[in-house]
Amino acid sequence: MTDALILAVNFRAIGLTIAVVVLAGFVLLFIRTSFQAKAELGSELELAPNKKEYLPDEELEGKKLDWSLSFALVVLVIVALSLPFYWLAEPGRQEGAVDVWQQTFERRGEGVYLRTAQCVNCHAAGGAGGSAPYVLRDQDGQFLANTTWLAPALNDLFLRYSEEEVTFILNFGRPGSPMAAWGLPGGGPLTSQQVQTTIEYLQTLEVPTLDPIEIDESDDPVAAREAADRQSAKITAEVERSLADGEFATLGEAVFNLGYYSGFSAGSLSCARCHTGGWSLGPSAPQIDGDPLSVGRAGCGGGDPTGIGFSLCGGDVLRRFPDDSWKLPDGSWAPEGGLVDDQGFFYYMAMDNSRIRLDDKGTPVTSRADDSGNPVPYRILADGNLADCRAISSLWEPESGSPYPFAAGFEVQLDDAGGFVAPPEIGESDLSGTVLRFADGRLGGDCTVVEMPERTSYAQYNFIFNGAERGRGYGRGGQSSEGMMPGFGSVLPPEYIQAVVDYERGL
Ligand code: HEC
Ligand code: HEC
């Protein structure tokens, strides 16, 4: 119970006490006046027997009046003061009422979870995650085997999905999987009120968040940090166990498939359950097209029996999220946007640990200045290394055929018809020093090449950290219809998200 609720309950007690005191006062007054009735006096002429002589005018208009008026003033003051106090406590009373309703909703949601819809049969008590029976069929619909499909833990649901996205899942289920459509909009049995109360209940099951920003903004950051450490220790222990037992070859592969052999969190933290066909049936199920972890299947998207497709293999993910940054020479990830020196300039580090300064657009620049005094940018080579060439050819782009380099500074001539005359192509021997051919077809001469660490994509890291949003675009040309890609920033330690990015980019 919250403080507001206690406050509200106290105010009710005070109110009741006042009511009882007032009532008791009236009863006492009644009793007193009944017992103090005057005895008959006799002479009707001077004074009726049931009357007594009252105070004289002097006294009535003096002391008595003053006293009555003062009493009225005191009562007025009390009423005037107690009304604002009543009003002051009103928010507390309202919060108390909200809390009571909240608890009622949560109790009703628990009823849906345990009895009405029996989510508990598949997702287990407390949303710990379990499994659902599933009949595996081949492409022609012929029975293959009785298997089970992992039903992910729901105690990290709102760390991965927004409330709106969860409502969508509950309404429409996961077509093609044992997760049915439960809400009326999807043709299920639960009213939108029941879906809402189920959500209120599921929100009480949450494990601690690992997101540093949410931790800092919580009511008690120290306790939140400790809870996060305990939570991430559990995950780390499981990942390290799976690596020690030889289940997976790399850290990234282990995170991508977290829970495949052990059922940890019923796969709620894995990527493969949505990105690898057949993964949710586990290692013991007979597989239609071979082992889900095999090369050429892992991460290559859905197909029967997984509902949600999306291939990450064969370079798909590299096209969606092109390289946008460099790692550090030791293979670890640099902070997003590069490192910062003590003058506030951003830089990356070359393999020889020298600093490569970035301009304000994030482009790496050499220490040379061009004619107008701006630093000359490096050219980024296909392998991620940087080149600084003192001579760079021009590029001729003919209407047919491929572009070719011609000498920089060569004056292009017009022919009689007013068209350009194609300039002569130059070759590598026309340039001196180290000569490079760039991806666009240009040639560079007198080049120095800076060897750089591996390239990677922060855009991809951020996408996995935040997940997709319903109807919003992501990466290069990506578009989420229902926001089904969860955000993992609150449930996986950052170095695991980095490892999984590395793994995916190598698929
Ligand atoms: C017959 C078993 C079964 C029942 C009953 C069931 N689920 Fe599910 N649920 C599943 C399975 C299996 C999945 C995983 C589907 C997949 O692989 O995409 C799932 C997925 C989900 C998801 C998506 C989780 C995620 O991380 O992708 C949510 C949310 C969910 N269920 C909530 C519920 C709620 C709430 C109820 C009760 C109203 C319920 N489920 C009843 C089997 C079940
Ligand atoms: C519940 C299912 C689900 C899980 C679990 C899941 N994804 Fe996804 N993922 C999707 C869907 C669906 C999309 C397509 C975007 C959308 O519609 O939201 C997607 C898209 C992506 C993309 C972009 C692919 C492209 O080419 O557009 C990447 C990268 C990705 N996921 C990585 C991951 C990683 C890494 C994990 C694990 C940490 C993961 N996903 C876990 C469902 C999932």
Side-chain angles (χ1 to χ4, degrees):
M1 227 193 291
T2 67
D3 293 349
L5 194 56
I6 293 173
L7 200 67
V9 169
N10 278 346
F11 268 89
R12 172 179 285 193
I14 292 170
L16 273 177
T17 316
I18 293 175
V20 167
V21 167
V22 170
L23 209 66
F26 273 116
V27 171
L28 281 179
L29 196 70
F30 179 75
I31 294 172
R32 206 186 81 142
T33 37
S34 335
F35 279 97
Q36 283 188 345
K38 287 280 168 307
E40 286 198 8
L41 288 178
S43 168
E44 270 281 313
L45 287 176
E46 286 155 25
L47 198 66
N50 60 347
K51 286 183 180 164
K52 70 167 184 169
E53 204 173 337
Y54 205 56
L55 304 171
D57 279 357
E58 302 80 61
E59 209 172 315
L60 261 183
E61 283 167 16
K63 233 173 41 186
K64 184 80 179 170
L65 185 64
D66 290 346
W67 192 86
S68 301
L69 286 178
S70 322
F71 178 74
L73 187 67
V74 170
V75 172
L76 190 71
V77 169
I78 290 175
V79 170
L81 284 183
S82 56
L83 271 180
F85 274 110
Y86 183 90
W87 172 80
L88 270 184
E90 185 57 19
R93 249 189 308 281
Q94 280 176 4
E95 275 173 37
V98 168
D99 278 1
V100 169
W101 271 109
Q102 181 67 27
Q103 284 165 8
T104 313
F105 279 163
E106 286 164 11
R107 208 162 356 92
R108 289 184 190 161
E110 189 178 11
V112 174
Y113 190 84
L114 297 178
R115 293 179 292 277
T116 318
Q118 298 182 352
C119 322
V120 66
N121 285 350
C122 301
H123 292 283
S131 62
Y134 181 75
V135 178
L136 185 63
R137 296 177 190 279
D138 67 12
Q139 261 129 5
D140 308 324
Q142 292 296 308
F143 174 88
L144 275 184
N146 284 313
T147 58
T148 56
W149 188 307
L150 280 178
L154 302 180
N155 57 14
D156 53 9
L157 197 57
F158 296 93
L159 300 176
R160 296 184 280 115
Y161 285 120
S162 72
E163 205 176 306
E164 192 200 358
E165 287 159 358
V166 172
T167 310
F168 183 88
I169 301 173
L170 296 191
N171 278 337
F172 297 99
R174 285 271 166 76
S177 90
M179 175 65 188
W182 285 100
L184 281 178
L190 299 182
T191 64
S192 58
Q193 179 73 78
Q194 282 173 312
V195 166
Q196 186 57 40
T197 55
T198 311
I199 287 178
E200 309 287 352
Y201 171 65
L202 292 174
Q203 278 168 338
T204 66
L205 306 175
E206 293 287 85
V207 295
T209 174
L210 304 187
D211 182 351
I213 294 179
E214 283 171 41
I215 290 171
D216 285 346
E217 286 174 355
S218 71
D219 294 340
D220 185 351
V222 178
R225 160 79 21 228
E226 285 170 4
D229 288 346
R230 282 194 299 276
Q231 177 64 15
S232 83
K234 275 190 220 161
I235 298 169
T236 312
E238 164 62 14
V239 170
E240 282 170 2
R241 182 209 58 76
S242 75
L243 285 171
D245 290 355
E247 292 175 356
F248 305 104
T250 62
L251 178 61
E253 187 187 17
V255 177
F256 194 83
N257 295 291
L258 189 53
Y260 185 63
Y261 294 103
S262 65
F264 183 79
S265 202
S268 81
L269 300 175
S270 79
C271 317
R273 75 184 165 94
C274 295
H275 289 289
T276 304
W279 189 92
S280 287
L281 302 182
S284 57
Q287 298 295 339
I288 303 177
D289 330 303
D291 180 4
L293 301 194
S294 61
V295 176
R297 272 201 75 190
C300 294
D304 203 344
T306 287
I308 306 175
F310 262 90
S311 168
L312 306 174
C313 71
D316 287 353
V317 82
L318 301 178
R319 282 186 286 278
R320 184 73 80 216
F321 299 104
D323 288 328
D324 58 21
S325 49
W326 285 268
K327 295 192 189 176
L328 296 176
D330 65 4
S332 64
W333 283 49
E336 190 169 5
L339 300 151
V340 197
D341 66 16
D342 36 16
Q343 288 155 52
F345 289 111
F346 287 90
Y347 66 94
Y348 282 111
M349 264 157 83
M351 280 314 275
D352 61 5
N353 285 329
S354 61
R355 293 180 177 188
I356 307 294
R357 174 83 55 93
L358 307 177
D359 67 9
D360 49 12
K361 292 190 197 73
T363 312
V365 291
T366 67
S367 47
R368 291 195 297 126
D370 63 13
D371 297 342
S372 37
N374 296 320
V376 174
Y378 277 111
R379 287 191 150 243
I380 303 170
L381 303 174
D383 57 7
N385 288 338
L386 299 175
D388 174 20
C389 301
R390 291 184 178 256
I392 292 184
S393 76
S394 298
L395 192 67
W396 183 254
E397 296 174 76
E399 271 169 34
S400 61
S402 44
Y404 64 82
F406 68 98
F410 177 86
E411 289 276 337
V412 180
Q413 313 286 322
L414 290 180
D415 64 18
D416 296 341
F420 291 111
V421 181
E425 179 173 356
I426 57 167
E428 302 189 2
S429 54
D430 296 313
L431 292 159
S432 57
T434 307
V435 177
L436 294 172
R437 189 176 284 274
F438 300 121
D440 62 4
R442 272 174 225 262
L443 282 177
D446 288 323
C447 300
T448 40
V449 173
V450 184
E451 210 189 322
M452 292 295 287
E454 199 188 336
R455 294 260 279 162
T456 191
S457 166
Y458 256 107
Q460 185 179 351
Y461 177 91
N462 288 332
F463 176 69
I464 295 167
F465 193 99
N466 295 312
E469 238 177 282
R470 246 183 114 169
R472 295 278 288 275
Y474 63 88
R476 199 170 271 186
Q479 170 78 25
S480 173
S481 50
E482 301 306 341
M484 274 309 113
M485 166 67 190
F488 287 87
S490 303
V491 288
L492 286 179
E495 59 277 16
Y496 282 7
I497 300 184
Q498 291 174 351
V500 106
V501 169
D502 288 345
Y503 170 74
E504 285 180 351
R505 296 178 84 70
L507 276 173

